[in-house]
């Protein structure tokens, strides 16, 4: 177990909070623009375009990247998303190439996101604390995580880093850390021979969410009772998955000394994730 696993566990929710804040706050800060953008996509759910946005901007979108971004989705869901995107004129009919419409919408979304980031974090002193160490962490990821299981973090890391906006750069670097943890989690699940669907169901049981139809495989492995409640063995197994994920995700933080890690955590803790007064 990596000695920095407790730190990785502590910092993870702050990374998640700040990365997701931008997506949530677009609807708060720019509700009309956000609604108009979503309508322009022609999609009932625009998650595919939102998550692929930086890859489309860089001209390196691919179906493999989409599947890594949505690794816990079922195959019919992925196929339906791709079909809907083609129907909306966002993907070429005979390939996974984004159309001009998709690229224009990706640029518009980037502008909206940049605006929100600036409204949330412009002139915040935490940015000056974060930029250098986060850049160092991003540069360190490929060497510490060479396996194919960490492809999403490396693919995102190959994208150009934003320039001209410290807020956008910090968000970009935090997104890479978030994808790294997702890769670590997926790798741990793979080693534990637990598929994405089984992992979701086990997590729901671990959280106390009632399950009407517990998966037979999880019952057979002794992780769930017949009534869908989690067993002690299942709880211990799920806890071990989290521990191993924290240990794997902790390796990148070895690139920083103790004082710098503490400063990064403090800066991430104090950054805002919402601007309710910004509603127009």
């Amino acid at each position: 177990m990596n000695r920095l696993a407790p730190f990785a566990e502590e910092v993870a929710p702050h990374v998640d909070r700040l990365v997701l804040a931008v997506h949530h706050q677009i609807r708060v800060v720019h509700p009309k623009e956000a609604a108009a953008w979503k309508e322009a996509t022609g999609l009932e759910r625009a998650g595919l375009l939102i998550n692929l946005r930086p890859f489309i901007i860089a001209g390196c979108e691919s179906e493999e990247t989409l599947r890594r971004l949505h690794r816990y989705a079922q195959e019919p869901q992925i196929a339906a998303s791709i079909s809907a995107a083609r129907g909306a004129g966002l993907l070429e009919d005979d390939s996974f190439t984004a159309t001009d419409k998709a690229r224009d919408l990706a640029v518009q979304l980037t502008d909206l996101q940049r605006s929100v980031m600036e409204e949330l974090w412009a002139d915040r002193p935490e940015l000056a604390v974060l930029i250098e160490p986060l850049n160092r962490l991003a540069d360190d990821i490929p060497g510490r995580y060479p396996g194919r299981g960490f492809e999403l973090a490396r693919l995102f890391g190959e994208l150009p880093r934003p320039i001209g906006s410290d807020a956008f750069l910090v968000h970009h670097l935090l997104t890479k850390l978030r994808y790294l943890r997702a890769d670590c989690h997926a790798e741990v699940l793979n080693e534990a021979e637990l598929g994405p669907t089984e992992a979701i169901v086990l997590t729901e049981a671990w959280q106390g969410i009632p399950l009407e139809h517990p998966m037979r495989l999880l019952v057979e492995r002794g992780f769930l009772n017949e009534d869908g409640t989690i067993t002690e063995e299942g709880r211990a197994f799920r806890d071990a998955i989290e521990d191993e994920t924290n240990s794997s995700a902790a390796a990148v933080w070895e690139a920083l000394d103790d004082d710098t890690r503490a400063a990064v955590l403090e800066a991430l803790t104090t950054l805002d994730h919402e601007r309710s007064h910004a509603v127009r």
Side-chain angles (χ1 to χ4, degrees):
M1 187 67 63
N2 190 300
R3 70 178 182 87
L4 294 179
F7 180 87
E9 181 179 17
E10 186 176 6
V11 77
H14 295 294
V15 172
D16 282 352
R17 174 177 64 85
L18 294 170
V19 170
L20 296 176
V22 171
H23 303 294
H24 296 326
Q25 289 299 298
I26 282 180
R27 296 189 294 272
V28 174
V29 180
H30 299 290
K32 294 180 180 178
E33 293 91 333
W37 180 86
K38 184 176 182 298
E39 183 177 358
T41 69
L43 298 173
E44 182 177 349
R45 297 181 179 179
L48 179 150
L49 188 55
I50 292 172
N51 292 331
L52 278 177
R53 177 203 61 79
F55 298 96
I56 292 174
I57 292 288
C60 60
E61 68 278 0
S62 71
E63 187 171 344
E64 180 179 3
T65 299
L66 173 69
R67 291 178 181 279
R68 289 185 180 277
L69 286 165
H70 297 269
R71 69 184 90 204
Y72 297 105
Q74 298 296 305
E75 179 58 35
Q77 294 175 299
I78 295 290
S81 294
I82 294 174
S83 177
R86 288 204 170 101
L90 302 175
L91 293 174
E92 300 290 352
D93 290 338
D94 56 351
S95 71
F96 201 86
T97 303
T99 61
D100 289 342
K101 174 184 177 180
R103 298 193 190 284
D104 288 343
L105 286 167
V107 170
Q108 292 174 30
L109 181 59
T110 299
D111 291 341
L112 275 174
Q113 290 182 336
R114 185 189 300 270
S115 175
V116 170
M117 292 171 203
E118 292 293 333
E119 293 189 47
L120 281 172
W121 302 323
D123 302 322
R124 288 293 296 261
E126 292 93 338
L127 299 185
V129 175
L130 291 169
I131 287 175
E132 191 279 331
L134 290 183
N135 268 309
R136 206 186 321 167
L137 293 177
D139 291 338
D140 208 49
I141 287 175
R144 291 185 186 270
Y145 299 89
R148 179 170 169 76
F150 305 98
E151 191 73 12
L152 179 57
R154 288 202 303 274
L155 286 171
F156 189 83
E158 292 170 1
L159 299 176
R161 295 178 192 177
I163 57 176
S165 170
D166 289 349
F168 202 172
L169 176 58
V170 165
H171 185 270
H172 179 90
L173 296 171
L174 289 176
T175 300
K176 183 171 182 178
L177 286 176
R178 187 168 187 264
Y179 285 159
L180 173 63
R181 185 178 177 87
D183 282 345
C184 291
H185 188 63
E187 190 75 353
V188 170
L189 290 174
N190 183 58
E191 291 175 358
E193 299 182 341
L194 197 69
T197 303
E198 290 84 3
I200 292 172
V201 172
L202 182 61
T203 297
E204 290 176 345
W206 183 71
Q207 294 171 335
I209 298 174
L211 303 176
E212 293 185 10
H213 304 289
M215 296 190 68
R216 176 53 47 185
L217 176 61
L218 295 177
V219 174
E220 291 175 352
R221 291 184 69 172
F223 298 156
L224 295 183
N225 295 308
E226 292 286 350
D227 63 359
T229 57
I230 194 167
T231 64
E232 287 303 315
E233 183 179 355
R235 188 172 298 281
F237 179 82
R238 180 61 174 72
D239 290 342
I241 292 292
E242 289 303 299
D243 290 343
E244 290 296 330
T245 298
N246 288 326
S247 182
S248 179
V252 70
W253 293 99
E254 295 172 357
L256 306 179
D257 59 41
D258 291 346
D259 290 342
T260 304
R261 280 194 301 272
V264 167
L265 178 58
E266 181 179 2
L268 294 177
T269 301
T270 57
L271 268 181
D272 297 327
H273 66 276
E274 61 182 8
R275 287 281 300 276
S276 58
H277 65 278
V279 178
R280 300 191 301 185

